[in-house]
Amino acid sequence: MVPVLLPATASATAAATTDPLGRYLTQKPAWHRCAPDTPAAFRCATVKVPLDYGRPGGKKLDLAISRWRTSTAKDHRGVLLLNPGGPGGSGLDMPLFLGGELPKSVKNTYDLVGFDPRGVGASSPVGCGLTDKEQNWQRPYKAATFAKDVAWARTVAEKCQARQGGKLRHISTRNTARDMDVIRAVLGEKKISYLGYSYGTYLGAVYTQMFPGRTDRFVLDSAVDPARVWRGMIQVWAEGAEPAFARWTEWTARHDSAYRLGATPEAVRKTFYDLVAQADRKPIDLDGTRMTGDDIRAFSRATFFSVRDGAEWIVSLKKAAAGRPAGPGLRTPAPVPPSFARATPEDNGDAAFWSVLCADQRDWPRDPEQYRADAIRDKKKYPLYGDFGSSIKPCAFWKTAGERTTKVDNTVRALILQNEWDPQTPLTSGQGLRRAMKGAKMVTVTGGVGHGVYGTKSCADKTATAYLTTGKLPSKDITCKAAPEAAGRGSLLPLPLPGSGGLPGPGSRF
């Protein structure tokens, strides 16, 4: 049995002698300025955590943490721990980024604390030696290429096993939640508050399940359904894409005078699939990128959630297909603040992604034929992305699964935020987390577009800020409406979404 309960305080000479984890809880971080060009109050440090919490006297990992003391107020509450998503997303820079986005009242209430999860960035990063081609995991089902895709999945698993060995089973969400509790103790806090985006919602939910007594104010933004981790969460992208595509065809037909893609939803749909068929016959050169029909489907999955972006993208593609200049194309997300000159393996994001997905879920199908059958079935049900979501993944060949998947089922108080049109964690996913967390309340932004709510000037911001600063949750789940201009464009909150396989535009992580 892996111990999961850590002492609630760090008084811990006693803890150090009576609890094998005590040595980790009583660490004194050596804080230093994160980088010469960052604020002096933004400090970084490295602490140690056990690789295996079941054997705390064994191998150790580095855990990189950061802290921005944004408040000197007398009513200062404690720390707000931050996670940007992933798995595989670096969070060390999160206080620096969100320091410019969060309201002053929140920064007066908390110090902002970031960390690179185990296996990521500056926290004993994992790497599998994957080539660029091997990092492209958006693979549609085709009978002629399925054997190659099976070989790819097996190669990724074998490379990770060869490079990381037994370490892989410990790069998991449950252990990252335990690391969060070490951070709590090292910072001298009895409880922690938390703001997690995307995958960070699942991490936060697992923490509430494992450490309900250490949970203060938790905001879970753009939520993962804990009942569907992890294969189901990749498949839910296909389920969510079809209604988004239908909505896009309707909107684009109403704006035919601007885009000339079809005057009816059926005509718009035909325009799109005609381009897919043309690119299947001969790839379309879009600004130097040769796009097959499968490339177009993969890229379009997320793009259509923003109806204006989707229309502009197809206009550009249609021009390119006709041999004309494509034009300015799509907006790109705002740049993420630079990391602090830390050396990591080039494939660290993908290596950490698969490590967590394969360690968290022990029941990935092992028979490649199951993936074949599911992909064929789901391409019929969800033509845009169904075969991508259900096709073979490296977890089919992973040898070192971790503990059993955490069942989230509790009454811990928390606030869940969800856009109606979120390409990475669709609305149904947020509703799944709400069902699992019976003490939570949920704010749904109707007409809200994009992945990430809080910090985007959303109508949900007021509720989230009130909860973080006063602890008051709404009395019931609520909805609010996105501003009209926000309903057509996607959020540009720079959440980590690598994994696009070299295609332009949005990537494909949680």
Side-chain angles (χ1 to χ4, degrees), residues 23-364:
R23 73 183 72 177
Y24 299 101
L25 310 180
T26 56
Q27 296 175 82
K28 303 297 182 185
W31 295 101
H32 57 86
R33 192 167 185 169
C34 293
D37 58 347
T38 57
F42 185 44
R43 313 292 284 178
C44 288
T46 300
V47 298
K48 298 291 184 180
V49 293
L51 170 66
D52 180 354
Y53 276 86
R55 300 177 61 192
K59 294 181 180 180
K60 301 176 180 62
L61 298 177
D62 289 335
L63 195 70
I65 60 177
S66 62
R67 182 171 189 165
W68 194 359
R69 296 187 180 274
T70 55
S71 171
T72 58
K74 292 182 179 179
D75 58 351
H76 177 79
R77 185 170 184 84
V79 300
L80 182 65
L81 192 62
L82 308 169
N83 182 273
S90 167
L92 202 62
D93 307 339
M94 281 289 284
L96 193 62
F97 170 71
L98 282 179
E101 305 296 324
L102 294 176
K104 186 176 180 180
S105 58
V106 172
K107 292 183 286 186
N108 282 342
T109 305
Y110 304 96
D111 289 345
L112 305 182
V113 174
F115 70 108
D116 280 354
R118 59 171 51 207
V120 175
S123 293
S124 298
V126 293
C128 300
L130 304 179
T131 65
D132 288 345
K133 189 174 182 179
E134 288 165 347
Q135 291 178 63
N136 175 16
W137 59 277
Q138 299 220 59
R139 293 169 180 262
Y141 173 76
K142 292 183 182 299
T145 61
F146 185 65
K148 292 182 180 179
D149 293 335
V150 171
W152 159 80
R154 181 181 285 109
T155 296
V156 171
E158 290 176 348
K159 279 191 167 185
C160 289
Q161 179 68 33
R163 289 286 184 101
Q164 302 298 332
K167 182 179 179 179
L168 289 177
R169 67 186 300 269
H170 302 292
I171 308 300
S172 67
T173 299
R174 287 181 65 84
N175 277 333
T176 301
R178 294 178 177 115
D179 294 343
M180 286 168 54
D181 209 51
V182 170
I183 294 172
R184 172 201 60 76
V186 165
L187 296 180
E189 302 289 337
K190 292 183 179 180
K191 295 184 176 183
I192 53 171
S193 295
Y194 178 81
L195 171 58
Y197 294 90
S198 196
Y199 163 73
T201 65
Y202 179 63
L203 174 60
V206 169
Y207 185 90
T208 69
Q209 190 69 32
M210 295 174 67
F211 304 99
R214 317 284 171 73
T215 300
D216 195 8
R217 300 170 185 174
F218 270 46
V219 176
L220 307 176
D221 188 321
S222 306
V224 167
D225 182 351
R228 299 197 64 166
V229 296
W230 280 115
R231 189 176 185 226
M233 276 305 302
I234 297 175
Q235 291 171 317
V236 84
W237 292 339
E239 298 170 31
E242 291 302 322
F245 178 65
R247 170 177 173 261
W248 172 76
T249 63
E250 294 164 2
W251 184 92
T252 303
R254 293 197 303 271
H255 295 81
D256 185 52
S257 60
Y259 299 107
R260 303 294 183 187
L261 295 176
T264 66
E266 293 75 16
V268 174
R269 181 183 182 90
K270 184 176 186 302
T271 296
F272 173 74
Y273 277 107
D274 283 351
L275 287 168
V276 170
Q278 178 178 340
D280 276 337
R281 294 190 296 271
K282 180 181 179 182
I284 296 171
D285 188 325
L286 180 66
D287 296 331
T289 299
R290 290 171 57 80
M291 301 196 72
T292 66
D294 292 328
D295 294 335
I296 292 169
R297 288 194 297 128
F299 179 78
S300 297
R301 178 197 66 80
T303 306
F304 285 142
F305 281 78
S306 167
V307 289
R308 288 192 182 92
D309 284 352
E312 291 172 8
W313 146 244
I314 297 303
V315 166
S316 295
L317 189 66
K318 187 177 178 183
K319 289 179 179 178
R324 293 182 287 149
L330 294 175
R331 303 177 305 161
T332 57
V336 178
S339 299
F340 304 127
R342 50 188 183 271
T344 59
E346 291 185 4
D347 66 339
N348 177 234
D350 285 81
F353 179 70
W354 292 121
S355 295
V356 172
L357 266 62
C358 302
D360 278 3
Q361 180 183 348
R362 301 177 69 173
D363 58 350
W364 282 88

